[in-house]
Amino acid sequence: MTARRGKVHIRPIPLALLAAVLLTTGCQRPETLGREAQAPAPARIAALAPSAPAVRQEPVVVTLAPPVPSAALALDAAIDRLGRRFPGDVGLAVRDVQTGWTSHHRGLDYFPQQSVSKLWVSLTALDEVDSGRLDLSRALTVTAKDLTLFHQPIRALALRPGGFQTTGNDLMVRALTQSDNSANDRLLHQVGGPDAVRATLRGKAIAGIRFGPGEPRLQATIAGLDWQPDWAGGTGFYTARDALPAKTRRAAFDEYLADPIDGATPIAMVDTLARLRRGDLLSPASTAKMTAIMEETRTGALRLKAGLKPGWRLAHKTGTGQVYQGEQAGYNDVGILTSPEGRSYAVAVMIGRTGRPLAERMKLMQSVVAATIAYDAALAAQRAAAPHDPNGSDPAPDGGPVTVAQDALQHLAVRAAR
């Protein structure tokens, strides 16, 4: 019997399936694979699964201590708030001399210095002393031709027959503590004039601070006049100013405020004062001398000084500009605050144009001092709450780079969000 042969139909293998098989096996022979790989799929899965039974994992709860409030950012907010709320043209700045942290409101804008610029005449004089080019104990004479205008207590002495015999040291004390315009101008002449002061500022890399042409010419320019030497010691300036048309005076007044030739930025002011306090600008003896004289300042008793708490000291200089039609061109107080523990802060309150009552301006200055003192207390608390090294060393002594760097990052974030 003959067996019938049926047709055998071979279905073609799809290329995709063939490729998958090759990739899975790696083109290896079955006997070269492990038992698990040769086993059916369910068996392979069982072999790879962990033998231990699954255990339910409970969530781990980590409790963190609340963040320590940033004293620096609190000061930053307080200074900005004071500046924004004051109804006038104002710039504020506070610098922590120990850490370099600076809080400010319009800190890079220029504001009139007025008599604050007397600081730079004294700085130049003491720098000349340090270099051996000037002797402030040398006798000199102040006469009627040396007189200027406005506030000059030395005037009565200069008008005596033969003038007033004094020294550069005496002139410096009068200029800084009494804000005597004529004493300062005579000292300015002794150090070489405005160009000498500007050279000192440049030489010490003090940027953001301008020095004008001296008191008589500065005040005459603000009034719309050119200073005349024969006005010294008399009333010629006032007579000429009163005779000017209102339009001329207004134009000169506004031009000065728009771009003051004796202008300074609050940040430059506190930076320079901080450098003075650290002893970076003068010799130790001259630094101590200048700051000691500034602590004896008699002007502005109700400005920054009125905001002090017991035990705090202030070495400062005031500045007050002309008033025209109810507006004042500059009302300032800048200085160095020192805590009872010896920590120091440079402070600048510079009001450019304002017609607000004096009480409001003084209140602003006192509030800046209060904010600075509050910062000092908050910073002390922040340091006390910060973790310390187990060996007893503080990783950031005196609120050093670690604290400042962390606060600076937060500061930038806050600024960017505004």
Side-chain angles (χ1 to χ4, degrees), residues 326-351:
E327 291 183 320
Q328 192 152 31
Y331 190 84
N332 312 317
D333 202 358
V334 307
I336 303 167
L337 294 171
T338 302
S339 73
E341 297 77 20
R343 294 183 293 273
S344 295
Y345 306 94
V347 177
V349 179
M350 308 184 74
I351 303 175

Side-chain angles (χ1 to χ4, degrees), residues 13 71 123 125 131 134-135 143 147 152 157 163 183 194 204 239 244 257 271 277 279 288 314 337 348 368 390 406 411:
I13 300 175
L123 180 74
S131 64
L134 182 64
D135 180 6
T143 65
L147 296 177
Q152 43 183 339
L157 300 173
K204 295 187 179 297
T239 301
L244 285 175
L257 286 170
D271 176 68
R277 177 66 179 85
L314 173 66
L337 294 171
V368 171
Q406 293 170 344
H411 170 75

Side-chain angles (χ1 to χ4, degrees), residues 43-68:
R44 290 203 304 271
I45 295 174
L48 294 175
S51 56
V55 178
R56 182 181 178 184
Q57 296 292 329
E58 295 294 333
V60 177
V61 179
V62 178
T63 303
L64 298 176
V68 178

Side-chain angles (χ1 to χ4, degrees), residues 117 126 150 259 276 298 367:
S117 64
L126 290 171
F150 299 146
D259 189 19
L276 174 66
R298 303 178 193 175
S367 296

Side-chain angles (χ1 to χ4, degrees), residues 36-114:
E36 294 86 355
Q38 298 182 47
R44 290 203 304 271
I45 295 174
L48 294 175
S51 56
V55 178
R56 182 181 178 184
Q57 296 292 329
E58 295 294 333
V60 177
V61 179
V62 178
T63 303
L64 298 176
V68 178
S70 170
L73 286 181
L75 176 64
D76 192 60
I79 295 302
D80 189 61
R81 181 171 60 252
L82 288 171
R84 290 177 181 275
R85 290 181 177 178
F86 182 76
D89 187 27
V90 65
L92 311 173
V94 176
R95 173 161 296 184
D96 184 329
V97 176
Q98 292 67 227
T99 68
W101 178 267
T102 302
S103 295
H104 71 94
H105 170 79
R106 293 183 60 191
L108 295 177
D109 292 345
Y110 279 87
F111 295 87
Q113 291 184 79
Q114 292 295 323

Side-chain angles (χ1 to χ4, degrees), residues 173-244:
V173 172
R174 292 174 181 272
L176 294 179
T177 64
Q178 300 180 35
S179 204
D180 190 310
N181 290 335
S182 292
N184 186 73
D185 223 57
R186 184 64 178 84
L187 182 62
L188 174 62
H189 176 73
Q190 190 178 13
V191 302
D195 286 341
V197 176
R198 296 179 192 123
T200 298
L201 295 176
R202 288 194 303 271
K204 295 187 179 297
I206 297 174
I209 292 178
R210 303 168 179 168
F211 189 80
E215 200 69 34
R217 292 184 179 180
L218 172 66
Q219 299 303 336
T221 299
I222 296 172
L225 295 167
D226 292 322
W227 176 258
Q228 303 300 318
D230 59 358
W231 290 346
T235 60
F237 168 80
Y238 305 99
T239 301
R241 186 180 66 172
D242 293 343
L244 285 175

Side-chain angles (χ1 to χ4, degrees), residues 82 92 300 302-307 318-319 331-334 347 349-351 359-371:
L82 288 171
L92 311 173
L302 296 179
R303 299 188 194 187
L304 291 176
K305 186 176 291 186
T318 58
Y331 190 84
N332 312 317
D333 202 358
V334 307
V347 177
V349 179
M350 308 184 74
I351 303 175
E360 288 188 23
R361 307 179 209 177
M362 294 171 179
K363 180 62 176 177
L364 170 66
M365 294 177 174
Q366 296 161 19
S367 296
V368 171
V369 172

